[in-house]
Amino acid sequence: MTIKILRLLSVFAMILIFSSCSFASDAAQAINNFSFNAAKIMMTNSSGDFFFSPYSIISAFGMAYAGASGKTAAEIEHSLGISSDIHASLGRLIRSLDDSGVLSSANRIWTKDGLKLHTKFTDTLRLYYDSTVKELDFKNNTEASRQEINGWISDRTNGRIQNLLQTLDPATRMILTNAVYFNAEWSKKFNKKRTANEKFYNDGDNFIEVEMMKANSNFMFSEFDGVKIIALPYKSCGLSMIAVLPPKETPDVLKNINSEILGQWIEAMTLYDVDLWLPKFRTENRYELKPVFEALGVNLAFTNSADFSGITDEEPLKIDEVIHQTFIQVDEERTEAAAATAIPMLAGSAMPVKHPKAEFHADRPFMYFIRHDNTGTILFMGLQSFK
């Protein structure tokens, strides 16, 4: 049996959000669990920065899972902790973020001309992912097809994600794309006049100089065994950046954080008068995430035994690889972030109140999250070290 190529592509380019809508916890739980599981693998395999969007990745796999059947579906469910309820939950999350007024989101299915998809599959993607379908001639117009998809992605990510699809196999049968772009200002902007070069320590006494933004204001803050946690809200949306700073003596404590621990730290936050230092930074990354999913237990989906018969009966399909590309820029006024996930599949004003004082000087590697306040959903996760 000849196994053809199906490319499943999810593009997610975002710029930090806020939303006040609430929705079921299925998506939040799956996204957050994946966040920390993937981060542990990334920290083991890399000694430098990382930045990724678990929201984008799980959204992409949600669309793939919509067409999975049998043991393939069961393995994805077990490994990622999801069920068929994930589609409705993700749909509510997507609509909630789109309604924020600072977020744009779009989905599209690209298919080989003439490929017949199951109605149930397309209905699921249309209903929960608001996805439309466009046919392309992957075989005879391969490069033009690649450029059209990349152009669609670039347009919907404000140009931050360029050339995500670097190659396109003529045997491609389908590509699923999800594109999101968000741009939000800090609720409390940093004064540019206070930004100054400061030392950032990566290893012991070794340092580099970075542009350090500074502020003294009231922020939600907590501290546990020397680990400092601060919430930096964005303007009028319902999203915050949560930054976690480990003690100088035990930086490896970041490897032990999980969703439950982070939730406890955030729950314990109270208002402090914080002397805040946060570096300006810009990071771009590209990942091949197939090994991450295999390490998490998703294996059948990448083999000739994969069962994606819920997509089409015309040809057997399998996932070839998972590519994730990200961008983030943090400055005095705002945070801008973009991410793209490609999943190629082969057929086979009140009275002043005094608050306790605290210091949060991010002058050493720290972890950060872009988080939906109401549900606790982690949209972005990163480790900044300037290595």
Side-chain angles (χ1 to χ4, degrees):
M1 180 182 298
T2 302
I3 291 185
K4 303 294 185 181
I5 293 177
L6 165 67
R7 282 181 177 262
L8 236 174
L9 175 67
S10 168
V11 180
F12 173 90
M14 203 175 179
I15 302 179
L16 311 173
I17 320 163
F18 274 149
S19 176
S20 60
C21 299
S22 60
F23 39 84
S25 62
D26 302 71
Q29 185 173 348
I31 290 168
N32 290 358
N33 288 340
F34 176 82
S35 299
F36 289 96
N37 291 334
K40 282 179 171 59
I41 297 171
M42 290 182 179
M43 282 189 279
T44 300
N45 297 338
S46 174
S47 59
D49 302 341
F50 67 76
F51 177 69
F52 67 102
S53 172
Y55 170 56
S56 172
I57 297 166
I58 292 299
S59 294
F61 249 87
M63 291 190 286
Y65 168 64
S69 301
K71 293 181 179 179
T72 300
E75 188 178 76
I76 293 173
E77 291 167 358
H78 176 74
S79 300
L80 301 183
I82 64 177
S83 69
S84 57
D85 294 335
I86 192 70
H87 305 304
S89 185
L90 277 171
R92 289 191 290 272
L93 175 59
I94 291 168
R95 288 191 296 273
S96 175
L97 298 175
D98 284 350
D99 289 344
S100 68
V102 294
L103 175 72
S104 60
S105 177
N107 298 289
R108 177 168 288 184
I109 309 171
W110 315 80
T111 68
K112 164 202 169 185
D113 48 357
L115 181 67
K116 295 181 180 179
L117 306 179
H118 287 314
T119 301
K120 183 179 179 181
F121 175 71
T122 55
D123 284 350
T124 297
L125 267 60
R126 183 178 64 255
L127 178 62
Y128 299 118
Y129 301 90
D130 194 24
S131 180
T132 58
V133 181
K134 181 171 183 180
E135 294 187 358
L136 294 175
D137 188 352
F138 295 136
K139 181 177 180 180
N140 299 308
N141 293 299
T142 308
E143 181 58 19
S145 298
R146 186 185 73 88
Q147 290 184 13
E148 180 169 349
I149 295 169
N150 282 343
W152 184 88
I153 292 166
S154 177
D155 288 346
R156 283 153 183 79
T157 60
N158 201 33
R160 290 304 189 187
I161 302 299
Q162 298 280 346
N163 199 34
L164 175 68
L165 200 59
Q166 296 182 351
T167 61
L168 180 61
D169 193 310
T172 296
R173 290 300 180 262
M174 186 171 96
I175 301 174
L176 303 185
T177 55
N178 160 254
V180 187
Y181 180 79
F182 170 84
N183 190 337
E185 299 178 350
W186 297 113
S187 179
K188 298 178 181 180
K189 296 182 181 180
F190 293 84
N191 186 341
K192 292 183 179 181
K193 293 181 179 179
R194 292 195 61 190
T195 300
N197 288 344
E198 296 288 353
K199 295 177 180 178
F200 187 97
Y201 295 87
N202 274 312
D203 298 300
D205 294 329
N206 297 322
F207 67 86
I208 62 171
E209 286 200 347
V210 302
E211 288 186 279
M212 193 72 74
M213 305 183 296
K214 300 179 180 182
N216 291 88
S217 189
N218 294 331
F219 294 99
M220 297 297 286
F221 174 91
S222 61
E223 183 172 358
F224 292 85
D225 296 327
V227 179
K228 299 181 178 182
I229 307 95
I230 192 169
L232 308 177
Y234 293 94
K235 187 177 181 180
S236 304
C237 294
L239 285 178
S240 299
M241 175 182 284
I242 306 297
V244 178
L245 185 67
K248 294 179 181 178
E249 301 78 12
T250 55
D252 287 345
V253 72
L254 293 178
K255 296 181 179 179
N256 299 321
I257 301 175
N258 57 36
S259 182
E260 183 178 356
I261 291 173
L262 180 65
Q264 292 172 353
W265 287 346
I266 293 172
E267 184 70 22
M269 283 181 166
T270 57
L271 270 178
Y272 276 74
D273 180 6
V274 183
D275 178 20
L276 172 64
W277 290 13
L278 186 71
K280 295 174 62 173
F281 63 91
R282 173 178 172 141
T283 300
E284 296 182 58
N285 293 292
R286 187 178 180 88
Y287 306 99
E288 293 184 5
L289 294 179
K290 179 180 176 181
V292 172
F293 279 95
E294 290 177 332
L296 295 177
V298 180
N299 293 289
L300 278 175
F302 298 98
T303 71
N304 289 344
S305 299
D307 184 354
F308 286 98
S309 57
I311 296 177
T312 179
D313 285 332
E314 291 192 1
E315 305 171 79
L317 306 167
K318 70 176 182 181
I319 296 175
D320 181 35
E321 58 186 338
V322 181
I323 301 169
H324 190 59
Q325 186 172 324
T326 62
F327 167 93
I328 185 170
Q329 181 168 299
V330 175
D331 61 28
E332 292 89 350
E333 294 189 356
R334 66 184 67 243
T335 304
E336 182 178 5
T341 307
I343 307 181
M345 298 182 73
L346 300 177
S349 161
M351 290 296 292
V353 178
K354 288 186 177 181
H355 297 286
K357 294 183 179 295
E359 180 184 279
F360 191 100
H361 287 185
D363 58 357
R364 53 191 180 275
F366 62 95
M367 190 171 285
Y368 60 98
F369 310 84
I370 306 306
R371 184 176 179 270
H372 183 259
D373 296 334
N374 281 1
T375 64
T377 306
I378 296 170
L379 304 176
F380 293 95
M381 179 176 184
L383 175 70
Q384 185 59 37
S385 68
F386 293 99
K387 287 186 178 179

